[in-house]
Amino acid sequence: MIEVDDERRAELATRLEQVRERITSATRDAGRDEEPTLVVVTKFFPVSDLVALAELGVTDVGESREQELHEKVDSLREERPDLLKAPTRHFIGQLQSKKAKRVASLVDVVQSLDRPKLVPLLGAAGAERDTPLEVLLQVDLEENSQGRGGVAPAELAALADEVAQASGLTLSGLMAVAPRGEEPERAFERLAALRESFLADHPAARVLSAGMSGDLEAAVKIGATHLRVGSAILGSRPAAR
């Protein structure tokens, strides 16, 4: 049974408010009128936290492991079917080809499409849905990639064109992770430049998912529309199950 502890709910409420204040301040400092969408990353945390966050007004959550995602959706289906449609579920982890179809059946948005092989797999799954599957292209911002995923900038245009032509998919925008060991501001400036040329070819794909707990202000500054925040709201990540 899904039970939300009152003390944990209060902790989440406090942390959530602190992050929302950071976002409001960063939006104001950037001279923007509209605040980015907060995607709370709930990977490794129990489904009870997801329920508490939904009750606290969180509209979007993110997961990065297919098995954990499946378990949480099953729990909600059994005990909280009212939460199956909202919050919006995003898949933000590296996606294995063999798990693409299952993931597509469990989420509303896949933020981590990064190679052509995934396009027909996600497209076929998207065609079975009531509405096309929204996808973001994950861009590799690392000069020497360390395996965090993402399409190389030089290959972005070709992948974008392939997704845009695929049935069952809606190309919604870009996603990126600031490289380890580099100032986020510098990496996000490269992302903003890439986005300019991307939008020239795909003007409707305006979503830009960038920024996490430690660098959300830098992401807001360059125009991120979605922020993926985990530890600043949920606390230190528990050991992987």
Side-chain angles (χ1 to χ4, degrees), residues 161-182:
D161 289 343
E162 187 169 345
V163 173
Q165 296 169 15
S167 60
L169 300 179
T170 295
L171 177 60
S172 294
L174 303 177
M175 184 269 262
V177 180
R180 298 183 182 95
E182 180 181 1

Side-chain angles (χ1 to χ4, degrees), residues 112-164:
S112 49
L113 197 164
D114 63 356
R115 56 196 187 279
K117 185 178 182 179
L118 293 172
V119 177
L121 299 173
L122 291 175
E128 296 177 0
R129 299 162 52 96
D130 293 335
T131 58
L133 177 68
E134 287 192 46
V135 297
L136 308 183
L137 305 186
Q138 182 176 352
V139 182
D140 184 3
L141 297 179
E142 301 203 32
E143 295 177 352
N144 296 299
S145 180
Q146 300 298 310
R148 300 183 78 180
V151 60
E155 300 170 4
L156 175 61
L159 182 59
D161 289 343
E162 187 169 345
V163 173

Side-chain angles (χ1 to χ4, degrees), residues 12 16 19-20 37-43 49-50 53 58-63 88 90 92 227-231 233-234:
L12 291 173
L16 181 61
V19 168
R20 283 174 169 160
T37 297
L38 172 62
V39 180
V40 181
V41 181
T42 51
K43 64 180 180 180
D49 279 356
L50 191 157
L53 290 166
V58 168
T59 61
D60 295 73
V61 295
E63 294 286 343
T88 298
H90 300 248
I92 62 174
L227 306 168
R228 309 178 307 275
V229 179
S231 60
I233 294 172
L234 290 147

Side-chain angles (χ1 to χ4, degrees), residues 40-92:
V40 181
V41 181
T42 51
K43 64 180 180 180
F44 299 142
F45 288 90
V47 68
S48 57
D49 279 356
L50 191 157
V51 171
L53 290 166
E55 292 174 347
L56 289 169
V58 168
T59 61
D60 295 73
V61 295
E63 294 286 343
S64 64
R65 299 198 310 165
E66 178 270 337
Q67 184 60 41
E68 182 180 353
L69 169 66
H70 188 267
E71 291 171 358
K72 288 178 178 176
V73 171
D74 277 352
S75 294
L76 293 176
R77 186 174 289 117
E78 292 176 7
E79 300 185 46
R80 291 296 304 267
D82 58 308
L83 297 181
L84 286 174
K85 295 294 184 181
T88 298
R89 289 191 296 275
H90 300 248
F91 189 81
I92 62 174

